[in-house]
Amino acid sequence: MDKLKTSWRARATDHWSFLFGQIAVYAFVVLLVTGAFLTVFFEPSTKVVTYDGSYVPLRGVQVSEAYESALDLSFDVRGGLLMRQIHHWAALIFIAAITLQLLRMFFTGAYRRPRGLNWLIWVGLLTLGMAAGVTGTILPDDMLSGGSLGLIQGVTQSIPVFGTDLMGLLFGGEFPGDDIIPRFYWVHVVALPGAVLGLFALRHRLVKRHGHTEFKAHASRSLGTFQTAHLAAPKAMSVAMFLATCGVLTLLGTVAQINPIWQFGPFKPGDITAGAVPGWYMGFLDGAIRIMPGWELDVAGHPLTLAVLVPALIVPGAFFTVLAAYPALERRFSGDRDVHHFLDRPRDAATRTAVGAAGITFYGLLWAAAANDQIAYNFHLSLFAVTWFFRVAVFALPLLAFVLTQRICLFLTAGERHEAEHGRETGRIVMDVDGGFSEIHEPVREPVRELTAAGSGVGTATGITAGAGGRQSFGGMTR
């Protein structure tokens, strides 16, 4: 009986969506290894020097030591360019894996008690990953770095009353200053990785205390088919997954060029480059700024630049605040304060799934709005019209997504209830003795009931019960 329950648990937790968290951890390990290599050769200094390296088009150009060392890493250090590109790809995959992990937790209800703190950890990891991505992009001191610095300057100065003083404190004087790259360097290589390590350690401790959440197994599946390899060699599977992650990142770093700083050129205040965009995870911020009307107010003699303050601070601040507080909000409005160790199907929580679909739509529209100029150019549309479309769509389409998703979930669950009551249509028609015709319906096997973490037996009723002679009964059907 214990073997039956252990095997059931192995299958219930052996789901592809549980890999996102592992990929995030393994990508972070790659980031630490490649980052340690890069720090040996990188010089976080804004001191101006004359470039005399292997990249001929920039020879004789005045550049910072940071940019020169980044070029030397790319062209003169053996394996340096490969390490730079693996590091950059690992950062993108790290944030993507965290995002997918949060989506999986949200749509299955994995954030419910007792795992509310685990949800906050992943939200914190997302913000730390984004901060690490931004600070890492700034370090090479190329034109893409300068664009990010300009955005940070504008956002900081848009803060009412003390924004200008905060900007001077951050940059060490006038923009761009000489202190921002050394400061961001230590934040990037020490503070942020340390914080991420701390959150991963806390998450590991919480998982050991509460265990993993599990999907409810279905009785229609054969209990004779188990993931025995998962039971026999979990460490071997983890090692294989780590090596696969390293292999994919190495392949991307080898064949997919990313962040070619030699093409962007060194950063010079007042210049701008075309064709360079921020990381995908910052696209929503770029899109929000692009579609925000150029509103500016004067309050008590102080300018209030809503065109930057609202999209760059208020919108993302509200979005991440609601994201972090959602488990508490759901408990308050639903009244559900029970302990949950089993995951829901998205369709079984129609309102939650609809809220998630609305949030994804809102984020996706802001992300797409970051390419409003490219959309207008490639589809021969007016940039004014495209911008106004996104201004309206970010309010209208999330509401539409909420309504449609909720109706679809309710329709699916209603169909399942109908099948449970009347059976599943088989398509086989029979004629009775009176000459009438009717379709044969077969009974639907009901899902296994939840198992308690400390229970000694397996669920009854429509669940799995052990009968005499070791026979198992599935929802009233005996095999």
Side-chain angles (χ1 to χ4, degrees), residues 67-125:
Y67 187 74
E68 181 188 42
S69 62
L71 285 179
D72 291 340
L73 264 168
S74 302
F75 295 104
D76 298 316
V77 176
R78 186 179 297 274
L81 180 59
L82 178 63
M83 286 294 182
R84 278 193 63 241
Q85 299 206 144
I86 292 176
H87 189 77
H88 204 118
W89 275 114
L92 299 181
I93 298 299
F94 174 70
I95 300 174
I98 293 175
T99 303
L100 292 173
Q101 171 74 359
L102 284 170
L103 289 174
R104 196 270 298 175
M105 294 178 67
F106 181 87
F107 285 110
T108 59
Y111 53 79
R112 294 173 296 180
R113 295 182 63 195
R115 296 175 178 83
L117 182 56
N118 192 38
W119 170 262
L120 292 178
I121 288 174
W122 283 107
V123 174
L125 286 171

Side-chain angles (χ1 to χ4, degrees), residues 113-396:
R113 295 182 63 195
R115 296 175 178 83
L117 182 56
N118 192 38
W119 170 262
L120 292 178
I121 288 174
W122 283 107
V123 174
L125 286 171
L126 178 60
T127 55
L128 290 174
M130 294 173 67
V134 172
T135 54
T137 303
I138 288 172
L139 294 182
D141 199 28
D142 61 324
M143 285 301 300
L144 183 59
S145 165
S148 299
L149 284 177
L151 178 60
I152 293 174
Q153 177 202 18
V155 172
T156 305
Q157 288 184 316
S158 70
I159 300 175
V161 183
F162 56 87
T164 302
D165 295 334
L166 181 61
M167 192 275 295
L169 195 66
L170 181 64
F171 286 90
E174 295 293 330
F175 176 83
D178 296 326
D179 300 330
I180 189 67
I181 288 181
R183 289 176 179 177
F184 276 13
Y185 173 78
W186 292 111
V187 170
H188 182 75
V189 303
V190 177
L192 293 175
V196 172
L197 278 173
L199 290 181
F200 274 133
L202 179 58
R203 173 187 173 269
H204 179 70
R205 184 174 180 179
L206 291 176
V207 170
K208 289 183 65 176
R209 177 187 299 177
H210 301 134
H212 284 282
T213 52
E214 303 171 1
F215 282 101
K216 299 175 186 177
H218 286 76
S220 58
R221 300 178 183 178
S222 171
L223 287 180
T225 304
F226 300 124
Q227 299 292 340
T228 54
H230 178 74
L231 290 173
K235 292 184 179 180
M237 292 185 65
S238 297
V239 172
M241 189 63 197
F242 172 69
L243 294 177
T245 303
C246 294
V248 171
L249 291 174
T250 303
L251 181 63
L252 288 172
T254 303
V255 303
Q257 179 176 273
I258 191 169
N259 197 23
I261 60 172
W262 55 91
Q263 295 181 6
F264 302 148
F267 171 58
K268 296 184 181 301
D271 293 347
I272 193 170
T273 185
V277 295
W280 68 266
Y281 48 89
M282 298 301 295
F284 79 101
L285 184 61
D286 190 4
I289 293 175
R290 289 188 183 212
I291 65 176
M292 179 68 188
W295 294 342
E296 183 170 309
L297 305 176
D298 189 81
V299 180
H302 295 279
L304 190 62
T305 309
L306 298 179
V308 179
L309 181 64
V310 171
L313 285 178
I314 295 179
V315 170
F319 182 82
F320 281 100
T321 300
V322 172
L323 186 66
Y326 189 86
L329 294 174
E330 183 179 276
R331 284 196 303 269
R332 179 176 179 83
F333 290 107
S334 68
D336 182 8
R337 301 182 181 274
D338 295 334
V339 173
H340 296 272
H341 294 293
F342 287 82
L343 302 174
D344 293 333
R345 295 181 306 169
R347 69 179 66 179
D348 294 330
T351 301
R352 179 205 303 150
T353 304
V355 170
I360 292 174
T361 304
F362 178 76
Y363 178 90
L365 286 169
L366 291 181
W367 191 75
N372 63 341
D373 54 342
Q374 294 295 322
I375 294 173
Y377 175 78
N378 288 286
F379 291 95
H380 308 287
L381 301 172
S382 167
L383 180 60
F384 180 80
V386 173
T387 302
W388 266 103
F389 166 78
F390 282 112
R391 288 175 178 174
V392 175
V394 292
F395 293 101

